[in-house]
Amino acid sequence: MMAESSRRPRKTGRSRAKTASSIARSLTDATYEHVLDLILSRRLPGNTIIQERRMAEELGVSRTPMREALGRLEGEGLIVRHGPRTLAVRLVSLEEFLQSLELRLLIEPHAASVSALHIPDDRLAELRRSLRSIDPRQGHPPAMHWVFDDNLHGAVGEYCKNDLTANTLLAMRRLTKMFERQHLPERTAPGWKEHDEILSALETRDGARARRAMAEHLKTARKNVLEIILGGARL
């Protein structure tokens, strides 16, 4: 007979419920991330009607995690209601883009100056390797540049030592990214030079330089978008 101490403890009703809850939460999180990626990668363009049942079937999940994921996205303003039973991908306007970018200009340069002192060396080395791998002279899909964009700006938010700032930046970056993906043609190397300057400032732990580089990057992005959308508008 197996010794009492070596027996695997039986799961109680509470532990089984906790495990089931964790699995459900993980499934909802995975569903959320999948739909979010569809939105941010142009595969679900602005104003696309969300068909909950069909999307759940395509992803291979039940409607419960899909409904919870969509509710989360609606709460974040990435999908909106067009009637009591109709959800659609938010179509970000130029005005919303400019307002989001204005807010980023107010706080992201400061976040960059703070994060320059705190981002770990190994994280910076990883970012540098990633940037080198998408050298625009070699030609790479725009999606690879967007991944780097997410990683660089994400690191600035993560290490700015202010959770509210980090969450605000994430929300505003999603809006600006949605606008660019919804309204602008694909660019081969969006912001590569500006990203290189920001990363160099972070690598040298130069907060003032990081602040300037981030501000210049955001201003250049605004200028480029206005020129494309408005046909040569100047700030």
Side-chain angles (χ1 to χ4, degrees):
M1 180 178 293
M2 184 180 296
E4 185 69 27
S5 60
S6 64
R7 290 178 181 172
R8 180 176 299 177
R10 294 182 178 180
K11 290 185 178 181
T12 64
R14 180 178 296 178
S15 64
R16 284 195 296 269
K18 185 176 181 180
T19 299
S21 176
S22 298
I23 293 174
R25 185 165 57 251
S26 297
L27 187 55
T28 297
D29 289 343
T31 304
Y32 165 86
E33 293 293 341
H34 178 81
V35 180
L36 176 63
D37 181 63
L38 292 177
I39 293 172
L40 296 180
S41 64
R42 291 187 188 227
R43 286 177 285 174
L44 281 179
N47 278 338
T48 298
I49 300 300
I50 302 294
Q51 299 179 348
E52 180 185 303
R53 183 190 298 275
R54 179 178 177 182
M55 190 171 289
E57 291 175 351
E58 290 176 351
L59 190 55
V61 299
S62 69
R63 296 183 68 179
T64 297
M66 179 58 68
R67 187 177 298 113
E68 292 175 350
L70 293 178
R72 183 172 165 187
L73 290 164
E74 183 183 7
E76 293 174 355
L78 301 183
I79 60 177
V80 293
R81 288 200 173 272
H82 289 176
R85 295 187 178 181
T86 304
L87 288 171
V89 177
R90 179 176 182 175
L91 182 65
V92 182
S93 68
L94 176 60
E95 182 179 9
E96 289 174 316
F97 168 81
L98 293 174
Q99 290 175 350
S100 299
L101 206 56
E102 182 179 3
L103 183 54
R104 288 180 62 184
L105 270 165
L106 288 174
I107 62 178
E108 197 163 7
H110 174 70
S113 70
V114 175
S115 66
L117 305 177
H118 300 288
I119 300 180
D121 290 338
D122 59 348
R123 184 72 170 272
L124 292 172
E126 180 183 346
L127 286 167
R128 176 55 67 183
R129 286 192 297 271
S130 177
L131 186 62
R132 286 183 183 138
S133 73
I134 54 173
D135 188 318
R137 293 170 295 185
Q138 300 174 6
H140 297 280
M144 295 180 65
H145 293 273
W146 281 112
V147 170
F148 178 81
D149 183 84
D150 288 338
N151 290 337
L152 176 64
H153 289 276
V156 167
E158 182 178 351
Y159 290 97
C160 73
K161 299 299 180 178
N162 187 312
D163 290 341
L164 182 58
T165 294
N167 291 333
T168 301
L169 285 175
L170 177 60
M172 293 304 99
R173 283 192 58 249
R174 284 178 175 173
L175 283 181
T176 54
K177 182 176 181 178
M178 283 177 68
F179 176 86
E180 292 191 45
R181 301 311 300 275
Q182 289 174 351
H183 298 282
L184 303 185
E186 289 280 21
R187 293 175 289 164
T188 55
W192 195 94
K193 290 183 179 180
E194 292 89 4
H195 284 157
D196 181 45
E197 174 61 18
I198 293 169
L199 183 54
S200 295
L202 297 175
E203 289 170 329
T204 57
R205 307 297 181 182
D206 189 334
R209 181 184 174 191
R211 180 193 295 271
R212 291 192 302 270
M214 182 63 76
E216 185 61 30
H217 172 51
L218 297 174
K219 290 176 182 177
T220 299
R222 182 176 62 184
K223 176 177 179 290
N224 290 340
V225 167
L226 285 175
E227 289 182 345
I228 293 171
I229 296 296
L230 303 180
R234 292 292 186 269
L235 300 179

